[in-house]
Amino acid sequence: MKSQVIREKMKLFANRGKAVKLTVLISIVMILALITGALYFRSSVYITDNGVVKEIKTNETSLEGILSDAGIELYDGDVTFFESKSDDNIYITIVRAFDVTVVADGKTHGLRMTGGAVSDALEEAGIKLGENDLVNFGPDEELYAGMEIKVSRVRFVNRSADVDIPYGTEYTESSNFKIGTEGVLSAGHNGVLTYTYRDMYIDGKYVSSEKLGEQVTKEPVNEVIAKGTSLQVPYAKLADEDKLTLVNGLPEEYVKVVSGKATAYSARAGSLTASNRYAVVGTVAVNPNVIPYGSELYIVAQDGSRVYGYAIAADTGLGLLDGRVTVDVFMGSYEDSCKWGAVYVDVYVLSMGDNRYISASER
């Protein structure tokens, strides 16, 4: 019995010895592994990835190898900075790129940026700004992920627009028209008012206008309407009506009135009168001893049925000199002289002539 107990105890001691040896062996292996690892991994690498620092140990010396060991992947646009301060310490900084969009001229430019300002993104996209172009961000604003920069092209165009200035109407009295009638002496014309505008276009679309100024580029011309003051439409019309003012169809101012019979005559073109004037409508024959040559006259039928009008005493004849006829009015045609016939008239002498014979240059 005793011998059996002793054998069991010896067996137990033997097992305990094996366990101790195994433990010691494992410890030795682990120490060797640590020593071997320390010898194998030569460098400490500090990787800053978007601000987060990660430390690894590696025997790689290239950037690609180190990042591969660290399980770090680079993407399009990412920027790395590699610095070896000693044989054992390596520092790597990774700046991650982010997406920025620039929209201009109908095109969208996708950019990968690692930072900077809006002006940097525009330069990267090849966008040049005009003097008046608009951007939805300031040039110095910092870029951020997902930022969309929009460029609006601004163009200004100057233009002019014309607007009519309506003409007015002026009224005047005229001895060349019958009382109660009117006639247009001169037509009216609209003026022009020119407005100048500055139109704004953004990306080719009209947006607004600014009025720069206005200027009358053409003055309006009033229409002149004559209100008749004569008893009848005169046969001989006055070119300068300022010479004569009629009241109730008769001259307002005159030197004297000579009354009597008025006949009519005509002559071929270019014929001369006794005072060396051309015989034309508005010249009449008189007795120069009563009405001197050069006198200004206004001749009206005594019954108001007809008006010869304004005339110059320029000619004479036997019937005038002997007193049978007071005035012989010149008509533009033989037919007109026949129609006139013989009429009793009042001859208003507006001014007295000097009976002077005029020269050829004065006709």
Side-chain angles (χ1 to χ4, degrees):
M1 181 69 178
K2 230 182 229 188
S3 59
Q4 186 177 356
V5 172
I6 291 171
R7 284 196 301 270
E8 290 295 331
K9 286 183 179 182
M10 290 296 291
K11 187 178 180 179
L12 179 61
F13 283 123
N15 290 336
R16 286 180 179 175
K18 290 180 179 178
V20 171
K21 290 179 181 179
L22 181 60
T23 300
V24 172
L25 180 61
I26 291 173
S27 297
I28 293 172
V29 170
M30 290 181 64
I31 291 171
L32 289 174
L34 290 172
I35 293 173
T36 303
L39 293 174
Y40 180 75
F41 296 113
R42 295 183 301 122
S43 302
S44 294
V45 181
Y46 300 92
I47 302 173
T48 303
D49 189 355
N50 255 14
V52 178
V53 180
K54 179 179 182 180
E55 180 185 358
I56 68 166
K57 293 186 180 294
T58 180
N59 68 335
E60 293 286 346
T61 57
S62 68
L63 176 64
E64 293 79 3
I66 294 171
L67 295 181
S68 177
D69 272 5
I72 296 175
E73 186 176 354
L74 294 179
Y75 300 97
D76 181 36
D78 292 345
V79 176
T80 59
F81 300 91
F82 186 94
E83 183 180 4
S84 177
K85 293 187 176 180
S86 68
D87 291 339
D88 297 328
N89 295 315
I90 296 175
Y91 295 86
I92 297 174
T93 301
I94 302 173
V95 180
R96 295 293 183 177
F98 50 84
D99 291 325
V100 173
T101 302
V102 177
V103 180
D105 304 317
K107 298 179 180 178
T108 300
H109 304 266
L111 306 177
R112 294 282 293 169
M113 304 294 291
T114 56
V118 169
S119 59
D120 297 318
L122 294 176
E123 183 178 357
E124 181 69 20
I127 303 300
K128 293 184 179 180
L129 297 179
E131 179 182 359
N132 302 306
D133 291 342
L134 300 175
V135 184
N136 60 336
F137 294 101
D140 298 325
E141 289 194 48
E142 187 177 349
L143 300 174
Y144 58 81
M147 191 178 202
E148 184 176 77
I149 302 169
K150 293 183 179 180
V151 176
S152 298
R153 299 297 190 184
V154 179
R155 181 170 59 97
F156 290 98
V157 177
N158 289 349
R159 65 178 174 87
S160 61
D162 293 337
V163 177
D164 284 342
I165 304 174
Y167 64 82
T169 302
E170 296 178 8
Y171 290 91
T172 186
E173 293 185 338
S174 172
S175 61
N176 291 331
F177 293 88
K178 181 181 177 181
I179 294 174
T181 65
E182 294 181 350
V184 177
L185 293 183
S186 60
H189 300 282
N190 288 337
V192 176
L193 179 62
T194 300
Y195 291 96
T196 303
Y197 296 95
R198 189 186 193 205
D199 295 338
M200 174 188 279
Y201 292 83
I202 296 181
D203 291 334
K205 294 182 180 179
Y206 169 81
V207 175
S208 63
S209 290
E210 175 190 4
K211 188 173 84 170
L212 300 179
E214 59 183 71
Q215 181 180 5
V216 177
T217 51
K218 182 180 179 182
E219 294 287 348
V221 177
N222 287 343
E223 179 184 55
V224 180
I225 295 180
K227 292 185 175 182
T229 58
S230 178
L231 294 176
Q232 297 294 333
V233 177
Y235 186 83
K237 293 180 173 57
L238 187 63
D240 183 5
E241 295 194 68
D242 291 337
K243 289 184 177 181
L244 180 64
T245 300
L246 299 181
V247 177
N248 296 323
L250 301 175
E252 182 179 38
E253 296 180 358
Y254 50 90
V255 176
K256 65 178 181 178
V257 179
V258 179
S259 299
K261 185 168 65 173
T263 55
Y265 75 107
S266 62
R268 68 179 183 274
S271 297
L272 297 177
T273 64
S275 64
N276 210 31
R277 291 176 171 85
Y278 284 117
V280 294
V281 173
T283 58
V284 296
V286 295
N287 183 344
N289 298 316
V290 179
I291 302 175
Y293 295 144
S295 297
E296 295 179 285
L297 314 174
Y298 192 76
I299 303 169
V300 181
Q302 290 179 346
D303 62 2
S305 62
R306 67 187 72 183
V307 175
Y308 183 77
Y310 177 82
I312 296 290
D315 207 356
T316 192
L318 290 178
L320 296 155
L321 293 174
D322 63 18
R324 287 176 295 161
V325 177
T326 301
V327 62
D328 198 14
V329 297
F330 185 87
M331 309 298 280
S333 67
Y334 175 75
E335 291 77 9
D336 285 348
S337 64
C338 293
K339 289 179 183 178
W340 177 271
V343 181
Y344 283 90
V345 300
D346 290 328
V347 179
Y348 291 84
V349 180
L350 306 177
S351 68
M352 297 292 287
D354 56 8
N355 269 332
R356 183 173 64 90
Y357 291 86
I358 67 171
S359 65
S361 63
E362 293 178 284
R363 290 178 189 146

